Amino acid sequence: MSFIDYYKILGISKDASEADIKKAYRKLARQHHPDLNPNDKEAQQKFQQLNEANEVLSDPEKRKKYDEYGENWMHAEEIEKMKRQHGQSPNGGENPFDSGGQAWSEAYSGNFDESQFSDFFSNLFGGAQSGFRNRGSSRNQFRGQDLNAELQLNLHQVYTTHKQELNVNGKNIRITIPAGIADGQTIKLKSYGSPGINGGPAGDLYISIHLNNSSIFSRKGDDLYKAEKLDLYTAVLGGEKTIETFDGKVKLKIKPGTQNGTQVKLKGKGFPVYKKENHFGDLYITYQVELPTSLSEKEKELFNQLKNLK
């Protein structure tokens, strides 16, 4: 039976505070917990070591005894008996092994379940008389791990609030997608992550939304943008033009002399505002005036007449 460095097992220094010990233990115990590492004997052994280290270092009396005797742990019981015989309190005074005292023979063994705790622990702290807290009846609870998932949608799908079903770790989950959700936005479903350990709370599920836009519109926030072709004659003389918006057609009046690149705003014809019912952004139309090509001789003649009028 060799000396076990509990501080090394938890990855902490010997002057670590109670909070440091608790934090280190919880982090490592969750990482190596058998429920998260099924059929992994190495993880199970590590988990037992962590429990043992925490059992000692989180208890002020046990930690004091461990720090006092160190590698002389095999003789701890005999040392304490000697101290009692000399009127000293156990765990107090000097360690005779630090001043050249003779070695004591091992005459004490504990009655712990060796599947949980090492011989080192049993010999140093004894059995049931030591006030040891049985890990079988006082198990630490751990919150389940958070899960992450991705959901691919197109722009038309998120124009209206609707239901979506996705499979996460073999479980079908039906969620509501609010209208107006943005690309890259995350939906959090509380307690839909991995189950907790030893009765601990379940983790959460985070669903990242990714939008594919194959439409003729571009989106910036709650506003939509669209380029609309306009023939030269309508641009010069004015008129009307029917255009497609995201939710249907509208007829626009075109002012005479409309220039290429002119932008008009259609209020309330943009994208739904996230989680604000009946609130919409705006639609911006940019006119692209097209020059006529393949003019007939008659058309060229008319254009020359217009030119000469200037």
mmCIF file of all heavy atoms in Angstrom, residues 52-100:
data_model
loop_
_atom_site.group_PDB
_atom_site.id
_atom_site.type_symbol
_atom_site.label_atom_id
_atom_site.label_comp_id
_atom_site.label_asym_id
_atom_site.label_seq_id
_atom_site.Cartn_x
_atom_site.Cartn_y
_atom_site.Cartn_z
ATOM 1 N N GLU A 52 -12.569 9.570 -2.848
ATOM 2 C CA GLU A 52 -11.742 9.365 -1.658
ATOM 3 C C GLU A 52 -10.975 10.640 -1.307
ATOM 4 O O GLU A 52 -10.915 11.047 -0.142
ATOM 5 C CB GLU A 52 -10.777 8.206 -1.907
ATOM 6 C CG GLU A 52 -9.924 7.862 -0.695
ATOM 7 C CD GLU A 52 -9.087 6.625 -0.943
ATOM 8 O OE1 GLU A 52 -9.640 5.613 -1.427
ATOM 9 O OE2 GLU A 52 -7.876 6.681 -0.657
ATOM 10 N N ALA A 53 -10.391 11.282 -2.308
ATOM 11 C CA ALA A 53 -9.649 12.512 -2.067
ATOM 12 C C ALA A 53 -10.560 13.595 -1.496
ATOM 13 O O ALA A 53 -10.194 14.318 -0.561
ATOM 14 C CB ALA A 53 -8.995 12.991 -3.362
ATOM 15 N N ASN A 54 -11.742 13.697 -2.042
ATOM 16 C CA ASN A 54 -12.692 14.699 -1.558
ATOM 17 C C ASN A 54 -13.164 14.375 -0.147
ATOM 18 O O ASN A 54 -13.348 15.279 0.672
ATOM 19 C CB ASN A 54 -13.886 14.776 -2.500
ATOM 20 C CG ASN A 54 -14.877 15.839 -2.080
ATOM 21 O OD1 ASN A 54 -14.567 17.024 -2.051
ATOM 22 N ND2 ASN A 54 -16.087 15.416 -1.740
ATOM 23 N N GLU A 55 -13.345 13.086 0.143
ATOM 24 C CA GLU A 55 -13.766 12.666 1.471
ATOM 25 C C GLU A 55 -12.777 13.135 2.535
ATOM 26 O O GLU A 55 -13.166 13.577 3.614
ATOM 27 C CB GLU A 55 -13.888 11.137 1.508
ATOM 28 C CG GLU A 55 -14.181 10.566 2.883
ATOM 29 C CD GLU A 55 -15.557 10.944 3.394
ATOM 30 O OE1 GLU A 55 -16.479 11.067 2.569
ATOM 31 O OE2 GLU A 55 -15.705 11.137 4.610
ATOM 32 N N VAL A 56 -11.509 13.088 2.203
ATOM 33 C CA VAL A 56 -10.474 13.468 3.161
ATOM 34 C C VAL A 56 -10.290 14.978 3.216
ATOM 35 O O VAL A 56 -10.350 15.607 4.282
ATOM 36 C CB VAL A 56 -9.133 12.796 2.804
ATOM 37 C CG1 VAL A 56 -8.021 13.301 3.723
ATOM 38 C CG2 VAL A 56 -9.266 11.287 2.908
ATOM 39 N N LEU A 57 -10.079 15.607 2.060
ATOM 40 C CA LEU A 57 -9.700 17.013 2.049
ATOM 41 C C LEU A 57 -10.851 17.961 2.335
ATOM 42 O O LEU A 57 -10.627 19.111 2.722
ATOM 43 C CB LEU A 57 -9.059 17.358 0.695
ATOM 44 C CG LEU A 57 -7.793 16.570 0.343
ATOM 45 C CD1 LEU A 57 -7.207 17.066 -0.972
ATOM 46 C CD2 LEU A 57 -6.758 16.669 1.456
ATOM 47 N N SER A 58 -12.086 17.512 2.145
ATOM 48 C CA SER A 58 -13.231 18.380 2.440
ATOM 49 C C SER A 58 -13.638 18.312 3.907
ATOM 50 O O SER A 58 -14.475 19.080 4.360
ATOM 51 C CB SER A 58 -14.424 17.998 1.549
ATOM 52 O OG SER A 58 -14.876 16.686 1.849
ATOM 53 N N ASP A 59 -13.037 17.372 4.643
ATOM 54 C CA ASP A 59 -13.311 17.238 6.076
ATOM 55 C C ASP A 59 -12.123 17.817 6.840
ATOM 56 O O ASP A 59 -11.009 17.285 6.769
ATOM 57 C CB ASP A 59 -13.499 15.763 6.416
ATOM 58 C CG ASP A 59 -13.909 15.551 7.867
ATOM 59 O OD1 ASP A 59 -13.263 16.144 8.759
ATOM 60 O OD2 ASP A 59 -14.855 14.780 8.112
ATOM 61 N N PRO A 60 -12.303 18.913 7.572
ATOM 62 C CA PRO A 60 -11.172 19.567 8.253
ATOM 63 C C PRO A 60 -10.367 18.623 9.138
ATOM 64 O O PRO A 60 -9.128 18.696 9.169
ATOM 65 C CB PRO A 60 -11.852 20.673 9.073
ATOM 66 C CG PRO A 60 -13.111 20.972 8.310
ATOM 67 C CD PRO A 60 -13.566 19.648 7.768
ATOM 68 N N GLU A 61 -11.047 17.725 9.890
ATOM 69 C CA GLU A 61 -10.340 16.816 10.785
ATOM 70 C C GLU A 61 -9.517 15.800 10.006
ATOM 71 O O GLU A 61 -8.360 15.529 10.329
ATOM 72 C CB GLU A 61 -11.339 16.111 11.706
ATOM 73 C CG GLU A 61 -11.960 17.013 12.756
ATOM 74 C CD GLU A 61 -10.908 17.629 13.682
ATOM 75 O OE1 GLU A 61 -9.972 16.900 14.087
ATOM 76 O OE2 GLU A 61 -11.004 18.834 13.979
ATOM 77 N N LYS A 62 -10.114 15.223 8.989
ATOM 78 C CA LYS A 62 -9.388 14.239 8.181
ATOM 79 C C LYS A 62 -8.222 14.898 7.450
ATOM 80 O O LYS A 62 -7.132 14.325 7.329
ATOM 81 C CB LYS A 62 -10.329 13.577 7.175
ATOM 82 C CG LYS A 62 -11.335 12.611 7.778
ATOM 83 C CD LYS A 62 -12.114 11.919 6.671
ATOM 84 C CE LYS A 62 -13.047 10.845 7.218
ATOM 85 N NZ LYS A 62 -14.148 11.413 7.996
ATOM 86 N N ARG A 63 -8.460 16.104 6.944
ATOM 87 C CA ARG A 63 -7.396 16.800 6.224
ATOM 88 C C ARG A 63 -6.227 17.116 7.164
ATOM 89 O O ARG A 63 -5.059 16.984 6.773
ATOM 90 C CB ARG A 63 -7.939 18.088 5.620
ATOM 91 C CG ARG A 63 -6.916 18.837 4.765
ATOM 92 C CD ARG A 63 -7.507 20.105 4.187
ATOM 93 N NE ARG A 63 -6.542 20.797 3.329
ATOM 94 C CZ ARG A 63 -6.775 21.968 2.734
ATOM 95 N NH1 ARG A 63 -7.962 22.575 2.903
ATOM 96 N NH2 ARG A 63 -5.848 22.519 1.978
ATOM 97 N N LYS A 64 -6.540 17.489 8.414
ATOM 98 C CA LYS A 64 -5.488 17.798 9.383
ATOM 99 C C LYS A 64 -4.647 16.564 9.666
ATOM 100 O O LYS A 64 -3.417 16.616 9.725
ATOM 101 C CB LYS A 64 -6.127 18.325 10.665
ATOM 102 C CG LYS A 64 -5.121 18.683 11.745
ATOM 103 C CD LYS A 64 -5.832 19.211 12.979
ATOM 104 C CE LYS A 64 -4.819 19.540 14.069
ATOM 105 N NZ LYS A 64 -5.495 20.023 15.304
ATOM 106 N N LYS A 65 -5.329 15.445 9.828
ATOM 107 C CA LYS A 65 -4.630 14.182 10.097
ATOM 108 C C LYS A 65 -3.779 13.777 8.903
ATOM 109 O O LYS A 65 -2.621 13.351 9.061
ATOM 110 C CB LYS A 65 -5.653 13.098 10.411
ATOM 111 C CG LYS A 65 -5.061 11.777 10.867
ATOM 112 C CD LYS A 65 -6.176 10.833 11.283
ATOM 113 C CE LYS A 65 -5.607 9.514 11.777
ATOM 114 N NZ LYS A 65 -6.692 8.585 12.190
ATOM 115 N N TYR A 66 -4.349 13.937 7.720
ATOM 116 C CA TYR A 66 -3.618 13.580 6.498
ATOM 117 C C TYR A 66 -2.385 14.466 6.329
ATOM 118 O O TYR A 66 -1.289 13.991 6.016
ATOM 119 C CB TYR A 66 -4.555 13.738 5.302
ATOM 120 C CG TYR A 66 -3.900 13.546 3.953
ATOM 121 C CD1 TYR A 66 -3.607 12.264 3.481
ATOM 122 C CD2 TYR A 66 -3.562 14.646 3.164
ATOM 123 C CE1 TYR A 66 -2.995 12.083 2.242
ATOM 124 C CE2 TYR A 66 -2.954 14.472 1.922
ATOM 125 C CZ TYR A 66 -2.676 13.194 1.471
ATOM 126 O OH TYR A 66 -2.069 13.012 0.253
ATOM 127 N N ASP A 67 -2.560 15.778 6.553
ATOM 128 C CA ASP A 67 -1.441 16.706 6.412
ATOM 129 C C ASP A 67 -0.363 16.452 7.471
ATOM 130 O O ASP A 67 0.831 16.633 7.211
ATOM 131 C CB ASP A 67 -1.934 18.147 6.524
ATOM 132 C CG ASP A 67 -2.741 18.585 5.299
ATOM 133 O OD1 ASP A 67 -2.623 17.924 4.250
ATOM 134 O OD2 ASP A 67 -3.478 19.581 5.406
ATOM 135 N N GLU A 68 -0.784 16.012 8.666
ATOM 136 C CA GLU A 68 0.171 15.830 9.759
ATOM 137 C C GLU A 68 1.055 14.603 9.554
ATOM 138 O O GLU A 68 2.276 14.662 9.720
ATOM 139 C CB GLU A 68 -0.566 15.701 11.090
ATOM 140 C CG GLU A 68 0.373 15.505 12.268
ATOM 141 C CD GLU A 68 -0.376 15.417 13.591
ATOM 142 O OE1 GLU A 68 -1.608 15.566 13.583
ATOM 143 O OE2 GLU A 68 0.294 15.194 14.622
ATOM 144 N N TYR A 69 0.433 13.503 9.149
ATOM 145 C CA TYR A 69 1.191 12.255 9.077
ATOM 146 C C TYR A 69 1.820 12.015 7.712
ATOM 147 O O TYR A 69 2.824 11.323 7.607
ATOM 148 C CB TYR A 69 0.300 11.078 9.463
ATOM 149 C CG TYR A 69 -0.175 11.159 10.883
ATOM 150 C CD1 TYR A 69 -1.530 11.180 11.194
ATOM 151 C CD2 TYR A 69 0.742 11.258 11.930
ATOM 152 C CE1 TYR A 69 -1.957 11.276 12.500
ATOM 153 C CE2 TYR A 69 0.318 11.360 13.239
ATOM 154 C CZ TYR A 69 -1.033 11.361 13.523
ATOM 155 O OH TYR A 69 -1.447 11.474 14.816
ATOM 156 N N GLY A 70 1.229 12.539 6.668
ATOM 157 C CA GLY A 70 1.809 12.399 5.340
ATOM 158 C C GLY A 70 2.149 10.967 5.005
ATOM 159 O O GLY A 70 1.311 10.069 5.124
ATOM 160 N N GLU A 71 3.407 10.728 4.643
ATOM 161 C CA GLU A 71 3.808 9.400 4.228
ATOM 162 C C GLU A 71 3.919 8.424 5.390
ATOM 163 O O GLU A 71 4.134 7.226 5.182
ATOM 164 C CB GLU A 71 5.139 9.472 3.473
ATOM 165 C CG GLU A 71 5.028 10.272 2.186
ATOM 166 C CD GLU A 71 6.278 10.171 1.337
ATOM 167 O OE1 GLU A 71 7.138 9.335 1.664
ATOM 168 O OE2 GLU A 71 6.375 10.926 0.364
ATOM 169 N N ASN A 72 3.769 8.912 6.635
ATOM 170 C CA ASN A 72 3.770 8.031 7.802
ATOM 171 C C ASN A 72 2.354 7.582 8.163
ATOM 172 O O ASN A 72 2.078 7.205 9.290
ATOM 173 C CB ASN A 72 4.403 8.746 9.007
ATOM 174 C CG ASN A 72 5.868 9.034 8.778
ATOM 175 O OD1 ASN A 72 6.615 8.173 8.318
ATOM 176 N ND2 ASN A 72 6.285 10.254 9.077
ATOM 177 N N TRP A 73 1.460 7.657 7.167
ATOM 178 C CA TRP A 73 0.058 7.338 7.396
ATOM 179 C C TRP A 73 -0.134 5.943 7.982
ATOM 180 O O TRP A 73 -1.068 5.699 8.747
ATOM 181 C CB TRP A 73 -0.708 7.448 6.088
ATOM 182 C CG TRP A 73 -0.256 6.502 5.020
ATOM 183 C CD1 TRP A 73 0.703 6.726 4.093
ATOM 184 C CD2 TRP A 73 -0.727 5.175 4.791
ATOM 185 N NE1 TRP A 73 0.867 5.652 3.287
ATOM 186 C CE2 TRP A 73 0.005 4.667 3.693
ATOM 187 C CE3 TRP A 73 -1.683 4.362 5.396
ATOM 188 C CZ2 TRP A 73 -0.200 3.387 3.195
ATOM 189 C CZ3 TRP A 73 -1.900 3.094 4.894
ATOM 190 C CH2 TRP A 73 -1.160 2.601 3.819
ATOM 191 N N MET A 74 0.761 4.991 7.674
ATOM 192 C CA MET A 74 0.577 3.616 8.133
ATOM 193 C C MET A 74 0.653 3.516 9.656
ATOM 194 O O MET A 74 0.148 2.578 10.257
ATOM 195 C CB MET A 74 1.631 2.701 7.511
ATOM 196 C CG MET A 74 1.495 2.535 6.007
ATOM 197 S SD MET A 74 2.759 1.458 5.293
ATOM 198 C CE MET A 74 2.348 -0.098 6.085
ATOM 199 N N HIS A 75 1.282 4.509 10.277
ATOM 200 C CA HIS A 75 1.482 4.453 11.725
ATOM 201 C C HIS A 75 0.617 5.478 12.456
ATOM 202 O O HIS A 75 0.840 5.765 13.616
ATOM 203 C CB HIS A 75 2.956 4.700 12.040
ATOM 204 C CG HIS A 75 3.879 3.876 11.202
ATOM 205 N ND1 HIS A 75 3.953 2.506 11.302
ATOM 206 C CD2 HIS A 75 4.739 4.225 10.221
ATOM 207 C CE1 HIS A 75 4.841 2.047 10.428
ATOM 208 N NE2 HIS A 75 5.329 3.075 9.758
ATOM 209 N N ALA A 76 -0.353 6.038 11.751
ATOM 210 C CA ALA A 76 -1.164 7.106 12.345
ATOM 211 C C ALA A 76 -1.869 6.648 13.610
ATOM 212 O O ALA A 76 -1.894 7.359 14.619
ATOM 213 C CB ALA A 76 -2.183 7.599 11.317
ATOM 214 N N GLU A 77 -2.458 5.457 13.596
ATOM 215 C CA GLU A 77 -3.206 4.981 14.755
ATOM 216 C C GLU A 77 -2.289 4.782 15.950
ATOM 217 O O GLU A 77 -2.614 5.169 17.077
ATOM 218 C CB GLU A 77 -3.921 3.677 14.407
ATOM 219 C CG GLU A 77 -4.737 3.084 15.539
ATOM 220 C CD GLU A 77 -5.940 3.937 15.920
ATOM 221 O OE1 GLU A 77 -6.302 4.826 15.117
ATOM 222 O OE2 GLU A 77 -6.506 3.718 16.998
ATOM 223 N N GLU A 78 -1.120 4.198 15.713
ATOM 224 C CA GLU A 78 -0.186 3.967 16.811
ATOM 225 C C GLU A 78 0.315 5.282 17.391
ATOM 226 O O GLU A 78 0.498 5.427 18.612
ATOM 227 C CB GLU A 78 0.994 3.123 16.307
ATOM 228 C CG GLU A 78 0.639 1.672 16.029
ATOM 229 C CD GLU A 78 -0.071 1.496 14.706
ATOM 230 O OE1 GLU A 78 -0.239 2.496 13.985
ATOM 231 O OE2 GLU A 78 -0.468 0.362 14.379
ATOM 232 N N ILE A 79 0.554 6.260 16.506
ATOM 233 C CA ILE A 79 1.020 7.565 16.963
ATOM 234 C C ILE A 79 -0.020 8.211 17.869
ATOM 235 O O ILE A 79 0.296 8.758 18.935
ATOM 236 C CB ILE A 79 1.335 8.479 15.770
ATOM 237 C CG1 ILE A 79 2.495 7.906 14.961
ATOM 238 C CG2 ILE A 79 1.672 9.890 16.236
ATOM 239 C CD1 ILE A 79 2.735 8.626 13.650
ATOM 240 N N GLU A 80 -1.275 8.125 17.472
ATOM 241 C CA GLU A 80 -2.328 8.737 18.269
ATOM 242 C C GLU A 80 -2.514 8.013 19.599
ATOM 243 O O GLU A 80 -2.800 8.631 20.624
ATOM 244 C CB GLU A 80 -3.624 8.769 17.464
ATOM 245 C CG GLU A 80 -3.550 9.698 16.261
ATOM 246 C CD GLU A 80 -4.913 9.998 15.655
ATOM 247 O OE1 GLU A 80 -5.910 9.489 16.181
ATOM 248 O OE2 GLU A 80 -4.945 10.754 14.669
ATOM 249 N N LYS A 81 -2.360 6.689 19.587
ATOM 250 C CA LYS A 81 -2.437 5.953 20.854
ATOM 251 C C LYS A 81 -1.340 6.406 21.807
ATOM 252 O O LYS A 81 -1.557 6.592 23.005
ATOM 253 C CB LYS A 81 -2.316 4.457 20.584
ATOM 254 C CG LYS A 81 -3.555 3.819 19.990
ATOM 255 C CD LYS A 81 -3.340 2.325 19.796
ATOM 256 C CE LYS A 81 -4.586 1.666 19.214
ATOM 257 N NZ LYS A 81 -4.385 0.206 18.981
ATOM 258 N N MET A 82 -0.137 6.580 21.261
ATOM 259 C CA MET A 82 0.977 7.019 22.068
ATOM 260 C C MET A 82 0.720 8.413 22.650
ATOM 261 O O MET A 82 1.015 8.685 23.809
ATOM 262 C CB MET A 82 2.258 7.041 21.233
ATOM 263 C CG MET A 82 3.514 7.393 22.032
ATOM 264 S SD MET A 82 4.947 7.640 20.965
ATOM 265 C CE MET A 82 4.501 9.193 20.192
ATOM 266 N N LYS A 83 0.138 9.263 21.828
ATOM 267 C CA LYS A 83 -0.159 10.620 22.301
ATOM 268 C C LYS A 83 -1.180 10.597 23.423
ATOM 269 O O LYS A 83 -1.070 11.341 24.400
ATOM 270 C CB LYS A 83 -0.670 11.473 21.145
ATOM 271 C CG LYS A 83 0.395 11.844 20.123
ATOM 272 C CD LYS A 83 -0.207 12.691 19.018
ATOM 273 C CE LYS A 83 0.851 13.106 18.010
ATOM 274 N NZ LYS A 83 0.290 13.917 16.918
ATOM 275 N N ARG A 84 -2.175 9.735 23.301
ATOM 276 C CA ARG A 84 -3.190 9.649 24.352
ATOM 277 C C ARG A 84 -2.569 9.143 25.651
ATOM 278 O O ARG A 84 -2.938 9.587 26.742
ATOM 279 C CB ARG A 84 -4.328 8.748 23.893
ATOM 280 C CG ARG A 84 -5.267 9.400 22.875
ATOM 281 C CD ARG A 84 -6.541 8.601 22.689
ATOM 282 N NE ARG A 84 -6.271 7.353 21.989
ATOM 283 C CZ ARG A 84 -6.349 7.236 20.653
ATOM 284 N NH1 ARG A 84 -6.675 8.295 19.917
ATOM 285 N NH2 ARG A 84 -6.104 6.080 20.082
ATOM 286 N N GLN A 85 -1.644 8.205 25.517
ATOM 287 C CA GLN A 85 -0.983 7.670 26.698
ATOM 288 C C GLN A 85 -0.158 8.732 27.409
ATOM 289 O O GLN A 85 0.039 8.687 28.609
ATOM 290 C CB GLN A 85 -0.092 6.489 26.303
ATOM 291 C CG GLN A 85 -0.877 5.265 25.879
ATOM 292 C CD GLN A 85 0.027 4.160 25.333
ATOM 293 O OE1 GLN A 85 1.241 4.323 25.279
ATOM 294 N NE2 GLN A 85 -0.592 3.043 24.946
ATOM 295 N N HIS A 86 0.341 9.694 26.626
ATOM 296 C CA HIS A 86 1.150 10.755 27.192
ATOM 297 C C HIS A 86 0.350 12.018 27.474
ATOM 298 O O HIS A 86 0.910 13.090 27.686
ATOM 299 C CB HIS A 86 2.319 11.093 26.253
ATOM 300 C CG HIS A 86 3.368 10.033 26.221
ATOM 301 N ND1 HIS A 86 3.205 8.858 25.503
ATOM 302 C CD2 HIS A 86 4.583 9.947 26.831
ATOM 303 C CE1 HIS A 86 4.278 8.100 25.654
ATOM 304 N NE2 HIS A 86 5.141 8.741 26.466
ATOM 305 N N GLY A 87 -0.965 11.887 27.413
ATOM 306 C CA GLY A 87 -1.812 13.015 27.765
ATOM 307 C C GLY A 87 -1.971 14.045 26.690
ATOM 308 O O GLY A 87 -2.443 15.146 26.955
ATOM 309 N N GLN A 88 -1.565 13.726 25.460
ATOM 310 C CA GLN A 88 -1.726 14.655 24.359
ATOM 311 C C GLN A 88 -3.005 14.325 23.603
ATOM 312 O O GLN A 88 -3.444 13.174 23.568
ATOM 313 C CB GLN A 88 -0.540 14.564 23.398
ATOM 314 C CG GLN A 88 0.776 14.954 24.013
ATOM 315 C CD GLN A 88 1.896 14.854 23.009
ATOM 316 O OE1 GLN A 88 1.651 14.863 21.805
ATOM 317 N NE2 GLN A 88 3.125 14.777 23.501
ATOM 318 N N SER A 89 -3.604 15.352 23.021
ATOM 319 C CA SER A 89 -4.806 15.125 22.230
ATOM 320 C C SER A 89 -4.420 14.582 20.873
ATOM 321 O O SER A 89 -3.408 14.978 20.307
ATOM 322 C CB SER A 89 -5.589 16.434 22.051
ATOM 323 O OG SER A 89 -4.802 17.368 21.352
ATOM 324 N N PRO A 90 -5.215 13.636 20.315
ATOM 325 C CA PRO A 90 -4.932 13.114 18.969
ATOM 326 C C PRO A 90 -4.889 14.243 17.956
ATOM 327 O O PRO A 90 -5.580 15.251 18.092
ATOM 328 C CB PRO A 90 -6.115 12.178 18.714
ATOM 329 C CG PRO A 90 -6.636 11.820 20.062
ATOM 330 C CD PRO A 90 -6.397 13.029 20.908
ATOM 331 N N ASN A 91 -4.079 14.062 16.944
ATOM 332 C CA ASN A 91 -3.936 15.051 15.875
ATOM 333 C C ASN A 91 -3.317 16.347 16.368
ATOM 334 O O ASN A 91 -3.438 17.371 15.734
ATOM 335 C CB ASN A 91 -5.276 15.370 15.187
ATOM 336 C CG ASN A 91 -5.823 14.159 14.486
ATOM 337 O OD1 ASN A 91 -5.074 13.338 13.956
ATOM 338 N ND2 ASN A 91 -7.137 14.029 14.515
ATOM 339 N N GLY A 92 -2.687 16.310 17.556
ATOM 340 C CA GLY A 92 -2.050 17.513 18.070
ATOM 341 C C GLY A 92 -0.626 17.220 18.443
ATOM 342 O O GLY A 92 -0.217 16.082 18.669
ATOM 343 N N GLY A 93 0.198 18.212 18.585
ATOM 344 C CA GLY A 93 1.581 18.019 18.965
ATOM 345 C C GLY A 93 2.437 17.593 17.813
ATOM 346 O O GLY A 93 2.045 17.653 16.663
ATOM 347 N N GLU A 94 3.632 17.078 18.146
ATOM 348 C CA GLU A 94 4.578 16.748 17.112
ATOM 349 C C GLU A 94 4.396 15.329 16.628
ATOM 350 O O GLU A 94 3.921 14.456 17.340
ATOM 351 C CB GLU A 94 6.008 16.927 17.651
ATOM 352 C CG GLU A 94 6.344 18.370 18.030
ATOM 353 C CD GLU A 94 7.759 18.471 18.524
ATOM 354 O OE1 GLU A 94 8.411 17.418 18.710
ATOM 355 O OE2 GLU A 94 8.214 19.606 18.740
ATOM 356 N N ASN A 95 4.786 15.105 15.449
ATOM 357 C CA ASN A 95 4.810 13.771 14.866
ATOM 358 C C ASN A 95 6.145 13.141 15.217
ATOM 359 O O ASN A 95 7.187 13.639 14.811
ATOM 360 C CB ASN A 95 4.664 13.882 13.347
ATOM 361 C CG ASN A 95 4.595 12.514 12.687
ATOM 362 O OD1 ASN A 95 4.970 11.505 13.267
ATOM 363 N ND2 ASN A 95 4.117 12.515 11.451
ATOM 364 N N PRO A 96 6.160 12.034 16.020
ATOM 365 C CA PRO A 96 7.431 11.464 16.431
ATOM 366 C C PRO A 96 8.278 11.022 15.268
ATOM 367 O O PRO A 96 9.488 10.903 15.386
ATOM 368 C CB PRO A 96 7.016 10.269 17.310
ATOM 369 C CG PRO A 96 5.617 9.954 16.927
ATOM 370 C CD PRO A 96 5.021 11.256 16.537
ATOM 371 N N PHE A 97 7.693 10.761 14.142
ATOM 372 C CA PHE A 97 8.472 10.333 12.987
ATOM 373 C C PHE A 97 9.238 11.493 12.378
ATOM 374 O O PHE A 97 10.154 11.281 11.601
ATOM 375 C CB PHE A 97 7.563 9.700 11.928
ATOM 376 C CG PHE A 97 7.138 8.314 12.320
ATOM 377 C CD1 PHE A 97 6.013 8.120 13.109
ATOM 378 C CD2 PHE A 97 7.880 7.212 11.940
ATOM 379 C CE1 PHE A 97 5.631 6.855 13.482
ATOM 380 C CE2 PHE A 97 7.487 5.936 12.313
ATOM 381 C CZ PHE A 97 6.359 5.753 13.086
ATOM 382 N N ASP A 98 8.846 12.728 12.726
ATOM 383 C CA ASP A 98 9.575 13.878 12.227
ATOM 384 C C ASP A 98 10.836 14.143 13.030
ATOM 385 O O ASP A 98 11.651 14.965 12.667
ATOM 386 C CB ASP A 98 8.689 15.143 12.269
ATOM 387 C CG ASP A 98 7.555 15.039 11.262
ATOM 388 O OD1 ASP A 98 7.710 14.267 10.304
ATOM 389 O OD2 ASP A 98 6.534 15.720 11.473
ATOM 390 N N SER A 99 10.985 13.450 14.197
ATOM 391 C CA SER A 99 12.152 13.694 15.048
ATOM 392 C C SER A 99 12.947 12.417 15.276
ATOM 393 O O SER A 99 13.569 12.226 16.296
ATOM 394 C CB SER A 99 11.709 14.289 16.381
ATOM 395 O OG SER A 99 10.781 13.428 17.018
ATOM 396 N N GLY A 100 12.872 11.532 14.357
ATOM 397 C CA GLY A 100 13.700 10.343 14.431
ATOM 398 C C GLY A 100 13.111 9.230 15.257
ATOM 399 O O GLY A 100 13.826 8.292 15.641
#
